[in-house]
């Protein structure tokens, strides 16, 4: 079975419906749930600011089918998790009616997530990751399809993490712009164990500010409290936090920090946030100290803690600088931080290993997905000899029949791009 990042054509999973006429900013929403009329209500503002009667949209078959497709999308069949997702999708015509009936009758019970530990970049510590079973991911995605636009409508402009049509590069561009405007005193903040320490009662209160459907709220709470299974430790309850690795966790994390975002806007602060990683760029040291005090006060009320050693105030025009989203900013320059670059090199070496069984086209496509994010931010001073470097053109890698007949070698673009060679030196 050919692995692809594109459209999945799986039994029981229909193709996306066409024909909605909606504003560009809402094209990403689930068409089977968010009709033109509902989106118009969302933009106009619903009476009382709360949404009722959403559970029927969660278990709507078209929404569940879309959720399956999104969960399976881009999963590699060469990995065990990808194969599990693909098998579930292929059997969705049998599985989804059962899931739908459980959701409809209030009988759905999520299973504990599997706890795995992954290396934490730049540290000897390990980061806990919670891997839900495939069916729970489908249920979470179905819920997310329904509630995400409600909260997305009220998210702050300077929040970039895990949001539609936004990404890390947008956040980095804003940091560059603010530094160029002279806002060089930076509050470099780090929330200690954010995902694991979100108070669930306060999180549910934040969700219920806009959602009044009790069954939807109950489902979300069940997903938060389903516990974890860890090898050698058995089942453990989850009284706080939202598991990293769950489909709905990034949305819930953004919901909880949204009041902080708007507080910074009200105070006139220039904040740039990507999930739990954020900086506040100020014009003076005094302003930075005031901003940090405001953040600390909010964190205390929210039941969160700033990391005592990683949170600091930095003058970006002086030696030392600060790190943000894998890059280092210092004295008007920017470059990938060493730990990120080392990890990047290791990834490229793994993807270009001589003994890999993949075909050359698959290897090139895989490399390009990794390289794409590195072209914009690398310092131009080190790219003088790479002005024409870009993702490898897979359309030019296939051998012409005449080349095959003559036994000629494939063109040089079969090899990793000049950027990859430069970084691997």
């Amino acid at each position: 079975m050919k692995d692809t990042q594109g459209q999945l054509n799986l039994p029981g999973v229909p193709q996306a419906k066409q024909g909605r006429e909606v504003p560009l900013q809402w094209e990403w929403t689930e068409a089977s749930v968010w009709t033109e009329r509902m989106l118009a209500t969302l933009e106009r503002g619903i009476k009382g600011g709360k949404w009722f009667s959403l559970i029927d949209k969660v278990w709507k078959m078209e929404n569940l089918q879309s959720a399956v497709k999104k969960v399976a999308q881009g999963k590699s069949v060469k990995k065990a998790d990808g194969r599990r997702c693909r098998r579930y999708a292929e059997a969705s015509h049998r599985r989804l009616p059962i899931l739908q009936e459980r959701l409809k009758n209030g009988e759905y019970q999520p299973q504990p997530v599997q706890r795995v530990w992954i290396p934490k970049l730049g540290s000897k510590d390990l980061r806990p990751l919670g891997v839900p079973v495939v069916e729970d991911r489908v249920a979470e995605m179905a819920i997310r399809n329904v509630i995400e636009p409600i909260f997305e409508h009220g998210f702050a402009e300077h929040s970039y993490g895990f949001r539609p049509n936004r990404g890390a590069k947008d956040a980095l561009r804003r940091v560059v712009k603010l530094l160029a405007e002279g806002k060089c005193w930076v509050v470099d903040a780090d929330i200690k164990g954010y995902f694991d320490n979100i108070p669930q009662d306060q999180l549910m209160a934040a969700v219920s500010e806009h959602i009044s459907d009790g069954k939807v709220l109950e489902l979300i709470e069940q997903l938060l409290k389903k516990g974890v299974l860890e090898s050698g430790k058995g089942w453990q309850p989850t009284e706080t936090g939202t598991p990293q690795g769950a489909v709905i966790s990034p949305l819930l994390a953004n919901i909880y920090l949204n009041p902080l975002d708007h507080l910074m806007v009200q105070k006139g602060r220039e904040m740039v946030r990507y999930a739990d990683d954020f900086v506040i760029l100020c014009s003076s040291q005094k302003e930075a100290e005031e901003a940090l005090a405001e953040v600390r006060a909010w964190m205390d009320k929210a039941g969160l803690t700033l990391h005592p050693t990683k949170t600091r105030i930095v003058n970006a025009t002086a030696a030392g600088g600060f790190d943000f989203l894998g890059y280092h900013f210092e004295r008007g320059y920017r470059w990938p931080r060493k730990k990120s670059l080392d990890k990047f090199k290791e990834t490229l070496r793994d993807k270009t290993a001589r003994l890999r069984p993949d075909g050359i086209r698959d290897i090139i496509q895989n490399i390009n997905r990794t390289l794409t994010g590195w072209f914009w931010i690398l310092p131009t001073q080190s790219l003088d000899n790479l002005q024409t470097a870009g993702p490898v053109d897979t359309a030019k890698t296939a051998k012409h029949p005449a080349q095959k007949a003559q036994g000629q070698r494939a063109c040089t673009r079969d090899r990793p791009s000049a950027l990859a060679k430069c970084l691997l030196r």
Side-chain angles (χ1 to χ4, degrees):
M1 183 181 297
K2 184 175 177 60
D3 184 34
T4 175
Q5 291 285 339
Q7 182 84 7
L8 287 177
N9 298 310
L10 297 169
V13 181
Q15 304 305 304
K17 293 184 177 180
Q18 303 295 326
R20 274 196 316 169
E21 294 183 4
V22 299
L24 186 63
Q25 71 180 103
W26 298 116
E27 283 187 348
W28 58 272
T29 56
E30 174 52 43
S32 66
V33 173
W34 286 93
T35 62
E36 295 174 28
R37 184 176 179 180
M38 282 187 65
L39 287 171
T41 301
L42 179 64
E43 291 197 324
R44 184 174 62 248
I46 196 168
K47 186 177 180 180
K50 292 190 175 186
W51 290 76
F52 297 82
S53 303
L54 296 175
I55 189 63
D56 60 314
K57 297 169 180 60
V58 172
W59 52 254
K60 187 177 183 180
M61 183 54 69
E62 291 88 344
N63 183 34
L64 293 176
Q65 290 169 333
S66 174
V68 169
K69 185 169 67 174
K70 289 179 180 178
V71 167
Q73 195 92 19
K75 294 289 186 180
S76 173
V77 296
K78 298 171 185 175
K79 296 182 179 179
D81 186 65
R83 290 192 293 273
R84 284 192 292 268
C85 292
R86 192 63 67 96
R87 283 197 298 268
Y88 188 97
E90 290 172 345
S92 60
H93 61 288
R94 290 186 290 101
R95 292 175 177 266
L96 289 186
I98 299 173
L99 175 60
Q100 182 187 47
E101 198 65 22
R102 289 174 180 168
L103 289 168
K104 187 185 296 188
N105 297 332
E107 298 172 352
Y108 172 73
Q109 291 292 330
Q111 298 181 40
V113 299
Q114 183 68 44
R115 170 75 80 214
V116 295
W117 295 86
I118 60 174
K120 191 173 183 180
L121 184 63
S123 171
K124 295 181 180 179
D125 298 332
L126 296 175
R127 184 190 303 276
L129 192 67
V131 182
V133 298
V134 177
E135 186 159 89
D136 286 351
R137 276 179 263 181
V138 172
E140 289 182 32
M141 185 64 76
I143 297 170
R144 181 172 173 171
N145 284 347
V146 174
I147 71 171
E148 185 170 22
I150 295 171
F151 293 98
E152 177 65 28
H153 186 257
F155 283 160
E157 183 66 25
H158 62 253
S159 168
Y160 295 93
F162 306 106
R163 293 182 59 189
N165 303 320
R166 287 168 171 254
K169 286 191 289 186
D170 300 309
L172 291 165
R173 288 188 184 101
R174 178 158 175 76
V175 169
V176 170
K177 180 177 180 293
L178 291 170
L179 289 172
E181 292 173 358
K183 297 185 181 297
C184 297
W185 284 92
V186 181
V187 178
D188 183 9
D190 183 276
I191 306 176
K192 189 175 181 179
Y194 175 59
F195 281 86
D196 294 329
N197 292 306
I198 301 174
Q200 291 181 357
D201 57 341
Q202 295 186 55
L203 172 60
M204 290 305 302
V207 174
S208 61
E209 288 181 8
H210 296 286
I211 305 291
S212 283
D213 189 315
K215 292 185 177 179
V216 172
L217 293 174
E218 184 180 351
L219 269 177
I220 296 173
E221 191 164 13
Q222 285 179 336
L223 291 167
L224 290 174
K225 294 185 177 296
K226 59 186 177 181
V228 298
L229 276 174
E230 186 171 356
S231 178
K233 296 183 179 180
W235 180 83
Q236 296 173 296
T238 48
E239 302 295 338
T240 61
T242 177
Q244 295 188 63
V247 171
I248 204 170
S249 288
L251 174 60
L252 296 177
N254 276 333
I255 290 171
Y256 198 64
L257 287 180
N258 192 47
L260 174 62
D261 294 339
H262 287 284
L263 174 65
M264 293 295 100
V265 172
Q266 293 169 9
K267 297 288 186 178
R269 308 301 184 199
E270 296 288 2
M271 182 180 186
V272 182
R273 183 172 69 82
Y274 190 94
D276 60 330
D277 195 0
F278 66 91
V279 291
I280 305 172
L281 293 96
C282 306
S283 300
S284 66
Q285 182 176 0
K286 180 181 178 182
E287 182 186 348
E289 291 170 350
E290 292 173 352
L292 179 55
E294 292 161 359
V295 171
R296 287 191 190 279
W298 186 90
M299 292 286 172
D300 289 341
K301 293 180 181 178
L304 299 171
T305 306
L306 290 177
H307 198 289
T309 59
K310 294 181 181 179
T311 299
R312 60 202 181 111
I313 293 175
V314 179
N315 181 359
T317 62
F322 66 98
D323 295 334
F324 186 59
L325 298 182
Y327 295 95
H328 185 78
F329 295 82
E330 180 180 339
R331 293 176 287 186
Y333 294 92
R334 60 185 185 272
W335 58 85
R337 66 174 184 164
K338 185 180 183 303
K339 293 169 184 175
S340 299
L341 193 56
D342 289 344
K343 182 181 179 182
F344 178 64
K345 291 178 180 179
E346 182 181 343
T347 300
L348 282 185
R349 289 191 183 99
D350 179 63
K351 291 185 176 184
T352 57
R354 292 182 181 275
L355 297 180
R356 285 189 68 93
D358 314 60
I360 188 65
R361 287 176 179 269
D362 291 335
I363 291 175
I364 291 173
Q365 289 175 355
N366 202 8
I367 291 173
N368 281 341
R369 286 194 290 271
T370 302
L371 291 178
T372 300
W374 286 78
F375 289 105
W376 171 77
I377 194 64
L378 281 172
T380 54
Q381 292 85 344
S382 67
L383 291 180
D384 292 338
N385 61 331
L386 296 175
Q387 295 302 315
T388 60
V392 184
D393 186 356
T394 57
K396 297 182 180 180
T397 61
K399 294 181 181 180
H400 189 276
Q403 286 181 310
K404 291 183 179 180
Q406 297 170 14
Q408 295 179 357
R409 298 180 61 186
C411 67
T412 56
R413 307 248 358 218
D414 282 353
R415 303 167 188 162
S417 69
L419 177 61
K421 293 179 180 178
C422 175
L423 292 173
L424 287 170
R425 282 204 295 259

